[in-house]
Every structure is written in structure tokens, then in C-alpha cells.
Amino acid sequence: MSALIETAIHSTPAHAGARPSLVGRDREGLRAALIELGVAERDLKMRTSQLWHWIYFRGARDFDAMTNVAKEMRERLAARFSLERPEVAIEQVSADGTRKWLIRLPADHPGEKPYEIETVYIPEAGRGTLCVSSQVGCTLSCTFCHTGTQRLVRNLTAGEIVGQVMVARDSYGEWPGRPQERRLTNIVMMGMGEPLYNYDNVASALRIAMDEEGIAISKRKITLSTAGVVPLIERVGQELGVGLAVSLHAVTDALRDKLVPINRKHPIAELMAACRAYPGARNSRRITFEYVMLKGVNDSPADARALVKLIHDIPAKVNLIPFNPWPGTAFECSDDATIDKFAQILMDAHYAAPVRTPRGRDIMAACGQLKSDSERERRVRAPMAPQPQAV
Ligand code: SAH
């Protein structure tokens, strides 16, 4: 197995003190903070812009860094608020350059185990993509996904979501950084959780990340992936305008019902109708269909041909994801030759069908492998935990 570097980082817990962090607040939220401090109405607009600039453009971690804010004001801000990001517990680097942050979030009650999420950075030629989590764990229970076996679940706040982007920027020292030199250029909402089960917080976080006066990652460089929460798909296009990815994985309802159980609620025909109507879907902004390659389950030439039929009238590309194994799974990854044949059928029908290279497998950072260590320990200690079943 390839070498990996692991660093434990000791930083202050995000909620160590009683001071709430301003990270994750939009302009209205910052304004409310200033009102709380008694800032006069006539100064609110200017002060809000200043705060926004320091937090989201410069990445300030300390109010004292805000040199154009009067000292007395900085002291008042610091007495009442913080600029803390989510706490990084462990940062791991894969042999292939993929980086994973294990982030620890405070428990709801003292004495309980903290929550944990993972964020992954994937360097590629000419760009670097941050894979961001939207929930602790996931309630979807897709049978081939490790995250789905994690039972501890809660929605992340907007601050915890955009905080993952800020943690990565901190780590690479990219505040403000020259856009063309930044390592972090793209965001995919493809980490732990179903982003459309936490729509409001995901939307607030992405609005902050897209704002041109701050983090400024354009909507064209952001993709949100859903397992198929059909009723919210239109809003993603209309309100956020980011790219859409859909975790399809099967071409019949019978199989998809088993692999991606949300299909029982929103079957394939309904999902395809939402994709066809997705605002902004066109050839220059195609919908990505993700398709995990599971040996002997969904990988036959007949499946590929049925897939072509299913998406024939949608501007689409298909991302073929070799299945990434995890401890205890009964699934196996399709053979290379089978994947190539599947891809060829799609390409013959004029669909782009890149096979996603697994990244960061040595640090369990690849698609579907994210699951916090404490949960893994818990499973080892609790042999009665339900095992995922292969179909
Ligand atoms: N809930 C959202 C976001 C998660 S994205 C969604 O389902 O789209 C994570 C992607 O990795 C999804 O396409 C998921 O189906 C896929 N995936 C999950 N487990 C996997 C595994 N073990 N190997 C490869 N891909 C996997």
C-alpha cells in the first residue's frame, strides 16, 4: 500500500467558548451581528461590507487582522463573536496527492461523542476540486455506499458547509490568492450526505462561496449531486444555477429500488422528467449522470444500451465510477474490459463517458468511502450492526 502522511492537528474546538462564529453568515447575518453590537444604522452598510471582505475575501481568522476597522470596534466584535472554522481533527494526504480532512463537530450535549465529517481535495491537471459534505452521515441507505451505513446523522449548518471550503483555503494559504494560481478551483457537493435533504443550508453556503466579493468560485465550477430528490431539482437550477449531477446507477426501477432506495419514492421516469426540465441544461452545461460499476449487477451491454435510451433527449454526459470497496461490502467492481465495453456503447451513441479514476483509495477518500473513523470503531465494537446486503 502506498505511503501516506498523517498529521494530527490540534486546534481549538469550534465551540470552545460561548462566542458564536460569524463564519457561514450571509450579509444579512453579519448586519444582524453589527446591530447586536449597537452599530449605528448609517454605518451598517459599510461595516457589513468590511466584515464580509475580511471574512470571505481575506479569510481573516482574527478580528485584529481587520486593519481598516477601528480598534475599539474590533475589540467589541472579538468579545462577542469568533471567526472559527470547523475543527480539523486529522489531515491525511494520499500518495496521489488527494487530501482528506476529518472534521470534528461538537456533540449536541456535553459528554457525548462529537460528530465527524470528511472533506476531500482532488488535484487534477489544470484544476483542483473540493468534495464537500452536506450532512453528518446519510439517511439514503444506498446499498453500495459506505456513508449510508453510518447511523449517526445530522444536517450541517451553512457555516459548517462553507467552513469546509475555508478550511481547505486555510490549508493551502490561498487567502485571497490570485485566482489563476489557486489550487482550489472547483466544488462538488458529493461528500457525505444528500445535499437536497439539507437544501436551505446548502443553498446559503453555496451563495456565500459563489459571491464575487468573497470566495468567488463561479457557479460554472460548482456541481451538486443528488440521488434523486426530484421535488427540489428545479430550484437548484433556478435559484443557484450550479451544475447538476444525478446518481443514477441503474436503468430499471426494479434494480434502482434496491441500489438507491429513494427510487421507491421518486422513480426513474419522474427523475428523468426533472432532468429534462432542469433550468439551464443545454449542450454547454450538460447534466452528469453518475453510474457506479458493480460487477454482474448493472454493468451489462444491455444496461448500457438501455441507459442510452433513457437519456436520449437530455444534454448529458455519463461518469462511470469504478466501485470503491469498503470493509464489509458484498459488492465488487466490474472488470476493466466490462467497463470499457460499457463506455464504448455510450460513446458510440455520442455521449461522453469518462471513467472516473479512483483517487485517494489508500486514505479511504474515494467516492462512497467516506465515513468517520469513530463510526468505524463503533461498528467493530458492535457486531450486531446491520450489514448492507448485496442485491
Ligand atoms: N447523496 C448525493 C451525494 C453523494 S455523491 C448523491 O447520491 O448523489 C457520492 C457519489 O459517489 C454518488 O454518485 C454515489 O452514488 C457514489 N458512490 C457511493 N458509494 C460508492 C462506492 N462505494 N464506489 C463508487 N461510488 C460510490
Side-chain angles (χ1 to χ4, degrees), residues 45-369:
K45 196 161 178 232
M46 185 264 293
R47 290 274 180 231
T48 301
S49 300
Q50 278 181 331
L51 271 184
W52 182 277
H53 178 83
W54 282 107
I55 299 172
Y56 299 121
F57 184 76
R58 299 209 170 251
R61 305 183 72 168
D62 194 326
F63 291 104
D64 255 342
M66 303 183 174
T67 44
N68 60 350
V69 177
K71 188 157 194 304
E72 181 264 349
M73 184 66 204
R74 298 197 311 245
E75 278 166 8
R76 273 161 63 204
L77 278 163
R80 177 75 188 83
F81 299 105
S82 84
L83 296 170
E84 271 163 2
R85 291 89 159 93
E87 180 200 355
V88 176
I90 297 175
E91 187 171 326
Q92 288 177 307
V93 184
S94 158
D96 68 15
T98 300
R99 191 175 289 243
K100 182 170 91 171
W101 293 270
L102 176 72
I103 291 176
R104 192 166 290 153
L105 306 170
D108 295 330
H109 306 287
E112 283 177 12
K113 248 180 168 268
Y115 292 102
E116 286 174 344
I117 53 161
E118 293 177 328
T119 308
V120 177
Y121 172 81
I122 307 136
E124 287 166 291
R127 68 171 178 193
T129 303
L130 194 71
C131 183
V132 171
S133 292
S134 56
Q135 297 181 304
V136 176
C138 189
T139 54
L140 290 172
S141 307
C142 300
T143 39
F144 52 88
C145 179
H146 202 197
T147 311
T149 65
Q150 179 167 337
R151 283 165 300 159
L152 195 66
V153 178
R154 87 155 162 81
N155 278 339
L156 298 183
T157 64
E160 289 162 347
I161 297 167
V162 75
Q164 296 170 62
V165 179
M166 297 172 71
V167 158
R169 278 247 175 117
D170 291 345
S171 171
Y172 292 126
E174 297 189 334
W175 297 107
R178 286 162 43 139
Q180 60 278 28
E181 285 168 10
R182 283 191 200 124
R183 295 206 240 180
L184 199 176
T185 58
N186 292 54
I187 294 176
V188 290
M189 293 304 305
M190 291 188 187
M192 297 164 78
E194 167 52 49
L196 299 190
Y197 276 169
N198 186 17
Y199 181 78
D200 289 344
N201 292 342
V202 167
S204 303
L206 290 183
R207 283 197 186 96
I208 293 173
M210 291 189 284
D211 192 292
E212 286 177 5
E213 288 167 22
I215 297 170
I217 295 179
S218 133
K219 63 182 178 186
R220 275 174 288 282
K221 301 200 178 235
I222 299 180
T223 301
L224 182 148
S225 178
T226 180
V229 184
V230 171
L232 285 172
I233 287 180
E234 189 183 355
R235 284 180 70 190
V236 176
Q238 226 151 45
E239 297 174 6
L240 304 174
V242 299
L244 179 70
V246 171
S247 296
L248 190 60
H249 306 319
V251 290
T252 64
D253 282 324
L255 179 59
R256 198 164 188 271
D257 279 352
K258 292 183 193 157
L259 295 179
V260 186
I262 194 182
N263 195 67
R264 295 176 205 156
K265 209 164 167 188
H266 303 295
I268 293 176
E270 217 184 285
L271 179 58
M272 289 301 136
C275 291
R276 247 172 251 127
Y278 188 69
R282 55 184 179 273
N283 270 329
S284 61
R285 199 84 218 271
R286 290 167 295 172
I287 292 175
T288 304
F289 288 99
E290 294 158 283
Y291 198 95
V292 64
M293 299 302 294
L294 302 169
K295 189 180 206 156
V297 175
N298 64 354
D299 61 352
S300 72
D303 287 315
R305 285 190 292 269
L307 178 55
V308 168
K309 263 200 192 134
L310 204 56
I311 61 176
H312 80 278
D313 54 353
I314 301 174
K317 68 169 178 184
V318 180
N319 239 331
L320 298 176
I321 318 178
F323 171 67
N324 292 306
W326 38 272
T329 183
F331 289 105
E332 285 175 71
C333 183
S334 311
D335 307 324
D336 287 351
T338 308
I339 299 178
D340 288 347
K341 205 163 166 189
F342 198 99
Q344 196 55 54
I345 293 171
L346 293 166
M347 289 188 287
D348 288 347
H350 307 291
Y351 284 102
V355 179
R356 193 182 285 173
T357 317
R359 301 293 301 268
R361 270 183 175 170
D362 56 342
I363 55 169
M364 289 289 284
C367 303
Q369 292 187 317

